[in-house]
Amino acid sequence: MTARPEAVTVPALRAFKERRERIVAVTCYDALFARLLDASVDLLLVGDSVNQVLAGAPTTLSATLEQMLYHTRLVSRGAEHALVVCDMPFLSYQVSVAEAIRNCGRALAEAGCQAVKLEGGRAIAPTVRALVDVGIPVIGHLGLTPQAVQAFGGYHVQGRGAEAAARLEDDARALADAGASAIVLELIPAPLAARVTAAVPIPTIGIGAGPDCDGQVLVLHDLLGLTEGFNAKFVKHYAELAGAVRAAVARYAGEVRSGQYPGPDHFFAK
Ligand code: KIV
């Protein structure tokens, strides 16, 4: 029998950086996949991307708190080793610090995650500080923050040019100073991600941010090749499951129509 790996804790994230050990993160939205992924990864992010990937919405903006709590609860049930992080949806933490504490607190108390993720830099640093002060660990998110897609005018690389890069680095320092435990860096030039990673004492977790971050995250359904038609440069397919699903269900449909299924092995004669 192999020993189960020790559960990843929030303080352990910083230790990964100190040991120069890369953090492996992936999105997860349910207990079934959480059980499959748990032993291989360090962090399961219940991303608000669930609103696009599973719920079919055009953006993450319409994700609700109840939706995120529901999916986080499912993932928490399936995870024993990996750290579970709930991505807080649009308007659940921006309106006031009091609302942020109540909503993020619900993610820990009701959905069983160990940390929450918030998008934004200096503008939300006071909220991050207030959350950390009441015992709610926070992971920040900078660069292409999808909840700001309307302000960005689309899903474009962020932090290009000296001024934008300096702003992003200041945002990262502000999050670290406010007590954030890690920062997701999404869709920024690799040299900027390397600079930010060197500038802050907390780990950076990149997605479309190059090889020099302290860890990497991908949307599970992208890496499994399930999200057909989404071909971002930074995504690598480790399987082609969309084709496998179509082929399996087409075979099933054919066998049902031809009467081949159920065969003698698949029913009770008495
Ligand atoms: O919602 C999400 O899946 C995310 C990751 C892409 C970082 O925020």
Side-chain angles (χ1 to χ4, degrees), residues 49-149:
S49 53
V50 67
N51 199 47
Q52 294 172 282
V53 177
L54 294 194
T59 70
T60 61
L61 289 169
S62 57
T64 66
L65 180 60
E66 295 310 321
Q67 188 183 356
M68 296 313 301
L69 295 179
Y70 171 73
H71 286 286
T72 302
R73 212 174 285 127
L74 304 190
V75 173
S76 298
R77 276 184 205 149
E80 291 180 20
H81 156 74
L83 190 84
V84 177
V85 178
C86 174
D87 204 2
M88 297 305 292
F90 185 52
L91 295 187
S92 68
Y93 58 92
Q94 296 96 335
V95 176
S96 70
V97 169
E99 269 193 47
I101 292 176
R102 182 168 309 282
N103 292 336
C104 295
R106 285 188 66 194
L108 267 69
E110 296 175 27
C113 63
Q114 284 87 47
V116 295
K117 179 171 83 58
L118 313 182
E119 296 183 5
R122 278 161 292 176
I124 62 147
T127 303
V128 173
R129 169 50 64 199
L131 289 166
V132 171
D133 282 348
V134 297
I136 300 173
V138 176
I139 292 182
H141 186 161
L142 295 173
L144 188 278
T145 45
Q147 291 172 14
V149 63

Side-chain angles (χ1 to χ4, degrees), residues 156-214:
H156 311 302
V157 175
Q158 299 297 309
R160 280 190 168 140
E163 252 179 57
R167 273 201 305 275
L168 196 140
E169 192 175 334
D170 286 347
D171 282 335
R173 288 185 204 277
L175 290 174
D177 290 347
S181 298
I183 306 173
V184 170
L185 297 177
E186 181 164 353
L187 215 56
I188 63 172
L192 174 59
R195 205 168 100 193
V196 171
T197 299
V200 293
I202 56 175
T204 59
I205 301 176
I207 173 164
D212 294 317
C213 297
D214 298 303

Side-chain angles (χ1 to χ4, degrees), residues 210-266:
D212 294 317
C213 297
D214 298 303
Q216 295 290 326
V217 62
L218 273 180
V219 170
L220 176 68
H221 296 66
D222 293 341
L223 81 83
L224 293 180
L226 280 165
T227 42
E228 291 176 310
F230 178 68
N231 297 311
K233 181 179 168 72
F234 60 84
V235 171
K236 180 171 176 182
H237 287 187
Y238 289 86
E240 297 297 344
L241 294 195
V245 169
R246 278 189 212 290
V249 176
R251 259 181 63 211
Y252 165 69
E255 290 193 6
V256 169
R257 289 186 183 116
S258 69
Q260 197 181 339
Y261 178 84
D265 295 342
H266 305 117

